[in-house]
């Protein structure tokens, strides 16, 4: 009995977060309302406030849990996998409401009284892990500081996706990320590794 109650609670929370992601993605924090989220989630007011005390608390949860459920591309850790991950995220930003909402709320967090860099630090650590593997394999230039590079890459990626969103609704994001790497790689990767790096289109055979 206790287990079934706990399972229902978990499913209810997931339904609320899924609905909230869709609503925040569509309307932003200011345009979203608890009633819209409740209606889309199919939950009662009691069910909503059992899990989240306010719209602000719900927005914060969507923001910090944006990476949950993503299945990052497989492969050997290192520079190529990092490139693959950034291109995978470009695709997810075009289609995944949870990630899109989390990214949007990270930008809008001042509207709900939060100053929290946790979503950005999450990706800094993910990227740094791949860069450490790349360093250990001799793929990076000796002067590269992996922590500084991870921070810079997340910063650059964030700006790239934001401008792509404003300009084209992220329709060109995949190509913009490739462009980012083509300018970044000469400064961080050793020449033979740089020559071996491929992008998703090349492996799919759809572009050179």
């Amino acid at each position: 009995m206790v287990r079934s109650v706990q399972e229902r609670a978990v499913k209810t929370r997931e339904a609320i977060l899924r609905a909230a992601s869709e609503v925040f993605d569509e309307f932003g924090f200011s345009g979203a309302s608890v009633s819209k989220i409740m209606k889309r989630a199919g939950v009662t007011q009691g069910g909503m406030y059992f899990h989240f005390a306010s719209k602000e608390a719900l927005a914060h949860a969507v923001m910090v849990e944006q990476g949950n459920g993503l299945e990052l591309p497989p492969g050997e850790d290192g520079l190529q996998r990092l490139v693959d991950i950034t291109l995978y995220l470009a695709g997810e930003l075009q289609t995944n409401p949870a990630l899109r909402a989390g990214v949007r709320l990270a930008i809008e967090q001042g509207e709900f009284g939060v100053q929290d860099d946790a979503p950005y630090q999450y990706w800094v650590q993910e990227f740094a892990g791949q860069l450490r593997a790349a360093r250990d394999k001799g793929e990076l230039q000796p002067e590269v500081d992996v922590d500084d590079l991870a921070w810079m890459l997340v910063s650059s990626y964030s700006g790239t996706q934001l401008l792509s969103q404003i300009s084209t609704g992220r329709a060109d994001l995949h190509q913009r990320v490739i462009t980012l790497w083509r300018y970044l790689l000469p400064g961080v990767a050793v020449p033979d590794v740089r020559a071996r790096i491929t992008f998703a289109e090349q492996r799919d055979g759809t572009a050179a």
Side-chain angles (χ1 to χ4, degrees):
M1 176 65 73
V2 173
R3 183 175 180 180
S4 63
V5 171
Q6 291 174 337
E7 288 174 349
R8 284 198 299 272
V10 169
K11 289 180 179 179
T12 299
R13 186 180 189 276
E14 290 174 348
I16 294 170
L17 283 173
R18 184 165 54 249
S21 295
E22 294 171 357
V23 173
F24 285 130
D25 179 36
E26 291 176 31
F27 301 103
F29 179 79
S30 297
S33 67
V34 172
S35 60
K36 287 178 184 176
I37 295 168
M38 286 169 48
K39 182 177 180 180
R40 193 166 300 195
V43 300
T44 65
Q45 189 175 43
M48 171 69 74
Y49 287 110
F50 174 81
H51 291 281
F52 301 100
S54 63
K55 186 175 86 166
E56 289 79 7
L58 180 53
H60 188 256
V62 171
M63 183 182 77
V64 299
E65 296 180 30
Q66 62 180 259
N68 291 2
L70 294 175
E71 297 182 5
L72 300 182
E76 183 180 350
D77 289 346
L79 201 51
Q80 179 66 68
R81 186 164 185 243
L82 178 55
V83 170
D84 293 345
I85 288 171
T86 60
L87 293 173
Y88 163 79
L89 291 174
E92 290 295 301
L93 280 165
Q94 293 173 328
T95 60
N96 185 324
L99 181 59
R100 289 163 61 105
V103 167
R104 179 169 185 167
L105 290 169
I107 296 168
E108 297 179 356
Q109 59 180 282
E111 296 182 22
F112 50 101
V114 172
Q115 185 175 345
D116 187 354
D117 68 348
Y120 298 103
Q121 291 298 337
Y122 173 86
W123 291 113
V124 168
Q125 294 306 313
E126 286 286 337
F127 290 3
Q130 295 303 317
L131 289 169
R132 290 188 189 97
R135 179 191 60 196
D136 294 344
K137 292 162 62 179
E139 295 181 339
L140 300 180
Q141 299 281 1
E143 67 272 16
V144 170
D145 182 300
V146 296
D147 294 315
D148 284 349
L149 178 54
W151 192 95
M152 188 275 291
L153 180 55
V154 170
S155 302
S156 301
Y157 195 100
S158 297
T160 297
Q161 73 83 23
L162 179 59
L163 183 54
S164 174
Q165 178 194 11
I166 293 169
S167 301
T168 68
R170 297 194 181 100
D172 67 347
L173 181 55
H174 198 271
Q175 187 56 48
R176 294 298 181 184
V177 173
I178 291 174
T179 300
L180 174 65
W181 277 114
R182 284 183 170 149
Y183 283 98
L184 180 62
L185 284 170
V188 302
V190 297
D192 62 322
V193 171
R194 185 170 74 243
R196 294 199 305 268
I197 294 292
T198 57
F199 302 104
E201 294 107 326
Q202 291 174 295
R203 291 194 298 283
D204 292 340
T206 57

